[in-house]
Amino acid sequence: MRHRMPASAKHILLVSALAVGLVGCSGKPPPPLPEGYGIASRDSNVLSRPRPGLTPEQRLEWSVGRSFAVQPWVAPPSTTTARDGLGPLFNANSCAACHRHNGQGQLPEQGPGMILVLRSPAATPDTNLNLGDQLQDRALPGWPTEGEIHWRVQGVTVGEQSLEAKHYFITQHPQRPVSARLAPALVGMGLLDHVSDDTLIAMSDPDDTDEDGISGRVNTVWDVQQKRFRPGRFGWKASQPSLRQQSALAFAQDIGVRSSLYPHPLCPDNGNCAAEVGVEINDKLLGAVSDYIANLAIPTPGDHQGDPALAAGRAQFDDLGCGQCHRPYLSADLPGRGSVEFQAFTDLLLHDMGPGLADTIAAFAAEGAEWRTAPLWGLGLRTREADNTRLLHDGRAGSIHEAILWHDGEAQRSRQRYQALTDAQQHILQQFLQAL
């Protein structure tokens, strides 16, 4: 998949690539996480803790944001005026309902946390079906839901292997194309929010000019606050440019709560959509929730430089070429600190992952087969329950091994190298990934 890069972007690429090259001249890799962000714990509540570097005042603000992310919103009007505005159509009544303990969403048979995307944010609303950008499968009393999520298991061929995935659909509209998306874990979003647009453009190579077979590209999306197009970084298709906008969109679509960024109903003008009701979460509280997410602690990864077993796994990771997309280090400009580097194992760019993972729903410039490289931090926490592991955008992969087997398109060569490893060698790589 090739896309022409503007000349101005190529200039930025060259300048920024030189800057990136200078960072590594010290010879000693930076620590995996900036001071004050990481926490050396693997207990079940580690993703629910504030990062250790907060001041007492910041900790108090963090607690305020937490309360509006965790406690359920209620239907208006209510005596709980700061927290009313739920619905009338929604998927969950709080952020924590889908991001339980700030982790991933659940599969539909196990609880909330999966949504069905119906159309691109830039597409024309489909008024024939009275549906908006995504299916809202819950509603306040007296309002009809938009439909129910259902699925059937089907076989998919990736390379020469047969895998199984759930084909999701709306019970009431089974022919309507949808794309199932699992709520991601909230870990590390504060650092990703500070990666500059220039850094993302510098890492992209849409024309594969270095001829390494990898053509990651930026998804150029609309920034509601800045009223301009800029690189996206959040969401499975990198369709949101900032954590604040991602949070506001989730309030609007998932909970039915309007903000200054999304003050209008995000569905067609019909009887199944609420009329104009004004802002239901003010800018201060929206900022508090965004800051709460931004300041969650990040599990410190295992020492894959000092631990021989993890070092061997890291070597496998590099040899397979995984780091071409799951780039080990990113740089960000943190307020008061300047440029810092950290391990996220992503480039936040779109990559063609092949027809097996493709959907039919575009997201701005992202095409069906293109997905943003998922960060790998916290992967060990996400896979420690063997019977409840759900990786990739719709949770179809029940293990790290299975997730790798789904890699195709630009990742085909890395997947084939992985399949050529012995079982013991594959296990060494998986141990490294589980330590992230």
Side-chain angles (χ1 to χ4, degrees), residues 117-135 146 170 173 175-178 266-273 361:
V117 176
L118 304 176
R119 70 181 184 95
S120 167
T124 302
D126 184 348
T127 56
N128 294 326
L129 293 178
N130 294 344
L131 302 175
D133 293 354
Q134 76 179 43
L135 178 77
E146 292 186 317
I170 306 171
H173 307 287
Q175 302 304 317
R176 169 84 187 213
V178 303
L266 296 178
C267 54
D269 183 16
N270 57 62
N272 198 28
C273 193
I361 309 294

Side-chain angles (χ1 to χ4, degrees), residues 150-309:
H150 204 58
W151 63 89
R152 60 176 176 269
V153 178
Q154 63 182 23
V156 179
T157 300
V158 178
E160 297 178 350
Q161 62 194 343
S162 295
L163 300 170
E164 287 188 344
K166 292 176 180 174
H167 169 71
Y168 289 93
F169 57 90
I170 306 171
T171 303
Q172 292 79 359
H173 307 287
Q175 302 304 317
R176 169 84 187 213
V178 303
S179 178
R181 311 277 175 85
L182 205 62
L186 301 180
V187 58
M189 288 191 171
L191 289 177
L192 299 183
D193 202 31
H194 287 292
V195 177
S196 72
D197 293 357
D198 288 349
T199 295
L200 297 179
I201 294 171
M203 291 189 297
S204 68
D205 186 17
D207 294 321
D208 192 19
T209 54
D210 59 6
E211 300 181 344
D212 65 350
I214 304 297
S215 57
R217 69 189 185 107
V218 164
N219 190 9
T220 304
V221 304
W222 182 248
D223 188 309
V224 176
Q225 284 183 285
Q226 299 186 18
K227 301 188 184 307
R228 66 183 180 92
F229 285 97
R230 53 181 291 234
R233 67 194 66 210
F234 293 111
W236 289 102
K237 297 274 189 178
S239 55
Q240 296 301 319
S242 69
L243 178 55
R244 186 182 181 87
Q245 184 166 318
Q246 174 67 56
S247 302
L249 184 65
F251 266 111
Q253 291 187 326
D254 301 348
I255 309 178
V257 172
R258 320 286 169 78
S259 65
S260 63
L261 272 64
Y262 294 99
H264 308 298
L266 296 178
C267 54
D269 183 16
N270 57 62
N272 198 28
C273 193
E276 299 289 347
V277 294
V279 170
E280 295 165 312
I281 179 171
N282 62 43
D283 288 348
K284 182 178 181 180
L285 291 182
L286 177 63
V289 174
S290 299
D291 288 345
Y292 159 71
I293 297 170
N295 287 306
L296 291 169
I298 304 171
T300 303
D303 182 5
H304 51 82
Q305 293 170 345
D307 185 315

Side-chain angles (χ1 to χ4, degrees), residues 59-76:
R59 178 66 182 266
L60 181 61
E61 294 173 0
W62 184 87
S63 298
V64 173
R66 180 184 183 280
S67 71
F68 283 89
V70 172
Q71 295 185 30
W73 285 69
V74 299

Side-chain angles (χ1 to χ4, degrees), residues 396-413:
R396 66 178 64 187
S399 66
I400 292 174
H401 172 74
E402 189 176 346
I404 295 173
L405 296 184
W406 277 103
H407 281 55
D408 202 17
E410 294 178 45
Q412 181 188 65
R413 187 168 52 188

Side-chain angles (χ1 to χ4, degrees), residues 109-121:
E109 62 269 38
Q110 296 170 323
M114 173 175 281
I115 53 98
L116 299 186
V117 176
L118 304 176
R119 70 181 184 95
S120 167

